[in-house]
Amino acid sequence: MAYIPPHKRHSKDSEKPRPTPESLVPSFKRNVQLRAPKSNAERSGQIVYSNYAISRWFAVGLDDDNGDASAAELKSVSVESVERKIGEKPVILVRSNLDKENSEVKGSPWSSIAEKVMPDLLSSFEIMRTETESEDLMDVKPTIVARFGKILFHGSPSVNLESVRKDCVAETTLRNLRRSFYTSVPASYVASIMAEVVPNIGVDFSEVKDIYHLKLSDSRRPDSTVSCKCSIKDDKVLQLYKVELNQVRDMVVDISCPDMDLDLRLMLCHKRILTSLTDDEMQSIRNLIESAVLDPDVKGGLRWPLGKASTGNRYSVIGVWHTMATSYESSSLRIKVRHADRFDFRTGYGETSKEVVLKLKGMVSRLLEQEVETNAISDMLKDALKLIWLHFLHCEPYLT
């Protein structure tokens, strides 16, 4: 049966109002967190969730109803960047030593993951499209991405991490913990993806990009960050080629995979490219870019002379990223392997990481069609998850 998004449906009642985001929120809310309005900014505005974003976590092979809570355990790991921010070691979910001989996942885990994710994906995509249709002066681009790394669990004022570690691990317990997704992976994993996975999954080399991302606060958009993408000209001068607002997350599903070496994050998000900046706005942004000094010895690779990191009362530099990314592409997938060097001016904190990102561009194209076949989308999601499970979740141990 063809699935027709609400904004494309025709009714005999021409005065029937368009669906509101509230009406599109799914009824299947088990284990789903819907973020409330006005609480959508995190990390100094650099990570933003839409007002009706879905945030969800579950573990493959760990189910309160059917699973064995003794099959997995929480392991404390050392992650310097996280410990510096939070003040304690995080924990990760791993297969229990007592259960490692039975650690092989039975059946097709990608199918069960797809069944859990599909309703959230369809609902989030509808809401995102309905909300962004009304935005003027912007080119909105949705993206579905898969990230690979480790889900880190953290304690909270109401939940003591040490007491949780001593108890049997259950999904209901883990949902009460704060979590983050650590995307940095070992160099050996990146090398394996490029040398062994890429040649075998039907993608071809696309491009290498050396990009500086300037993150600017905008006094007229306090809930957003302006991101300026710059390339390097032959004379070692920054050249601006795109201005966009920071990525907005519409759905984040974190999936712990204790039987595998890496965990998985599936995310639907959209970017808003600014297409109608005034001459004064563009000049202010260019002044900041022209004032930047390339310096490989500082985090992020850029610094500004004293007093030059802001323009009047409008824009201020709050962060900078330097990324070197190699991309591989097919008609339905895009793999980005990148080295990122980031610095946050507000916190004075910087870090470097190696990351692998998989973009499911074919699925986005199908979801943007006037009539969406849900069965076709479901099959595409299962195929993508099977590919991920077989090729992207194997890695040598790197968090101890």
Side-chain angles (χ1 to χ4, degrees), residues 41-48 217 222 224-225 318 344 346-347:
E42 292 185 3
R43 288 182 59 193
S44 303
Q46 293 190 38
I47 296 179
V48 174
S217 65
S224 299
T225 299
I318 61 172
D344 188 327
R346 292 182 172 182
T347 63

Side-chain angles (χ1 to χ4, degrees), residues 331-333 359-367 377 380:
S331 59
S332 60
L333 300 173
K359 294 188 176 183
L360 308 181
K361 62 177 189 175
M363 194 176 304
V364 172
S365 297
R366 291 299 296 268
L367 284 165
I377 298 298
M380 293 180 73

Side-chain angles (χ1 to χ4, degrees), residues 136-152:
D136 298 325
L137 311 180
M138 298 182 191
D139 181 9
V140 180
K141 292 188 175 182
T143 307
I144 300 173
V145 299
R147 304 294 303 269
F148 314 106
K150 296 300 290 186
I151 296 173
L152 306 179

Side-chain angles (χ1 to χ4, degrees), residues 10 13 59 63 96 120 187 232 240 296 317 336 345 370:
H10 300 284
D13 183 359
D63 187 281
S96 169
D120 295 340
I232 301 293
L240 175 68
V317 180
K336 183 179 292 185
F345 280 56
Q370 182 171 347

Side-chain angles (χ1 to χ4, degrees), residues 89-106:
K89 288 186 176 182
V91 297
I92 59 175
L93 185 67
V94 297
R95 174 63 62 178
S96 169
N97 289 328
L98 299 175
D99 198 62
K100 283 186 177 178
E101 62 182 30
N102 300 316
S103 61
E104 184 177 350
V105 177
K106 298 178 181 179

